Every structure is written in C-alpha cells, then in structure tokens.
C-alpha cells in the first residue's frame, strides 16, 4: 500500500521518516523541548499557511467567482473547500498554541515569564501574546461567523452580510499580526537584536 495515496498516510510517513532521521543523526537521543518545538512549527505551518491561503487565494477567488456571470460561482469552494480548510485552520491554530505553551514551559523561557515579559524573554513573550490574540480571533470571531457564511448555522441575509465583514476583518487582522508574531518567534530563538 502506497502511503502517498492518502493525506493520513502522507502525514504518518512524514513523521516516520522524521523519527528515522532523529535516530540516525542524533544517535537516538530524545529531547522533549526539541520535539515540542518541531511539533509547534509543524502545527504553525498548517495554521499560518491556511491563513495566508484564505487571504491571498480563496477570498479573492470567491469574489472573482461570484462576480463571473455565467461562471461556476463560489458554491463549489464554499461547499467543498472552505469547510475542510477551516477544520484544519482552527485545529491547527489550537495545536500551535498548545504546543507553543508547552515549548515555553519546558524550554528555557518559562510560560509565565514569557507572558509577563520577564527580562530576556520579552521578544518571545510578545510573540506568544500575538499568537494568543490570533487564536482568540480564530475561535471566537472567525469560526462562528464562517459558520453563518457557509450556511452551517441559520442566519438572516443581514447576519450573513455582517458575518462576512467580521470574518474578513479578523482574518486580515490575523494576517498582519502573523508578521510581527513570526518575527518575534524566530527572533528570540536566533538571537536577533530587536
């Protein structure tokens, strides 16, 4: 059976190969902090990758499809693509935040130290706060409004119009927040002096 014939098989294969690489290159030495950091980055790529997909690709494509008279419209994207992408998006956000909190606590920074901007960890603390705001936006603002937009919950046309605005503004807010958040996350770990 070819694992590349399914998403699950592909992901499992990626983790198996990663473990083999660890065993070969690290002589089987296990580091909880390194493993959590790797999982944090993996989840973050899913979350932020989908955030960028929604804002750079899907939203403009849906608008173009809706404006295309005689075209297929946005129904296919809204029915088949958006719900699946939003599932990975919101759970990727939660997994990123949880693994990030674990990285802070297990590693040299300390979860409380980061969130209280203790000396020496202000940069990663700012990144953690930005990520927390972004997680809030995903679960409390974007997802409930997307459910209205996609017809997963009942909503009047006026509620859907408002939901589109709120979901778009919070998605774009997360997009701009992701830029300094990523700078802070990378900056702290790589000794960047900002």
């Amino acid at each position: 059976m070819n694992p590349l014939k399914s998403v699950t098989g592909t992901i499992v294969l990626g983790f198996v190969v990663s473990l083999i690489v660890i065993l070969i290159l690290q002589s089987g030495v296990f580091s909880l902090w390194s493993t959590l950091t790797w999982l944090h980055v993996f989840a973050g790529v899913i979350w932020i990758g989908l955030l960028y997909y929604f804002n750079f690709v899907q939203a403009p494509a849906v608008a173009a499809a809706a404006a295309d008279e005689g075209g297929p419209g946005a129904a296919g994207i809204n029915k088949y693509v958006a719900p699946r992408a939003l599932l990975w998006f919101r759970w990727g956000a939660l997994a990123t935040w949880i693994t990030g909190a674990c990285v802070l606590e297990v590693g040299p920074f300390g979860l409380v130290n980061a969130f209280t901007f203790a000396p020496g960890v202000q940069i990663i603390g700012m990144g953690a706060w930005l990520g927390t705001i972004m997680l809030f936006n995903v679960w409390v603002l974007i997802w409930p409004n997307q459910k209205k937009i996609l017809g997963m919950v009942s909503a009047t046309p006026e509620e859907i119009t408002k939901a589109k605005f709120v979901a778009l503004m919070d998605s774009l807010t997360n997009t701009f927040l992701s830029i300094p958040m990523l700078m802070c996350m990378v900056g702290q770990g790589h000794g960047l002096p900002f």
Side-chain angles (χ1 to χ4, degrees):
M1 176 173 160
N2 183 347
L4 297 177
K5 289 187 177 181
S6 74
V7 172
T8 303
T10 301
I11 293 169
V12 169
L13 180 62
F15 276 93
V16 168
V17 170
S18 296
L19 292 173
I20 291 169
V21 168
I22 290 169
L23 289 171
I24 292 170
L25 297 179
Q26 297 296 319
S27 302
V29 175
F30 176 78
S31 166
L32 179 60
W33 185 65
S34 294
T35 302
L36 289 170
T37 300
W38 169 59
L39 291 172
H40 177 62
V41 170
F42 178 74
V45 167
I46 292 170
W47 177 21
I48 301 304
L50 283 165
L51 174 68
Y52 292 169
Y53 160 78
F54 285 130
N55 287 285
F56 303 159
V57 178
Q58 184 173 305
V62 167
D68 183 7
E69 290 183 31
I77 295 171
N78 288 341
K79 183 176 180 179
Y80 297 104
V81 177
R84 181 173 296 207
L86 284 164
L87 175 86
W88 282 91
F89 175 69
R90 66 183 186 276
W91 290 106
L94 185 60
T96 303
W97 194 92
I98 290 171
T99 55
C102 291
V103 166
L104 290 172
E105 185 57 32
V106 171
F109 308 114
L111 182 66
V112 173
N113 288 340
F115 277 99
T116 58
F117 300 108
V121 294
Q122 296 96 332
I123 294 173
I124 203 149
M126 179 58 71
W129 272 110
L130 292 171
T132 301
I133 293 165
M134 292 170 63
L135 176 71
F136 176 88
N137 286 346
V138 167
W139 281 94
V140 177
L141 300 169
I142 296 170
W143 174 235
N145 283 292
Q146 283 292 345
K147 289 192 292 188
K148 292 176 186 174
I149 295 164
L150 299 174
M152 298 169 132
V153 297
S154 298
T156 65
E158 294 80 21
E159 290 172 325
I160 292 171
T161 299
K162 182 181 177 187
K164 286 180 180 180
F165 179 77
V166 171
L168 177 63
M169 289 298 101
D170 287 301
S171 185
L172 290 170
T173 296
N174 274 8
T175 299
F176 91 74
L177 289 176
S178 73
I179 297 167
M181 182 269 305
L182 289 168
M183 180 207 58
C184 290
M185 295 301 179
V186 172
Q188 183 76 49
H190 289 87
L192 298 179
F194 34 68

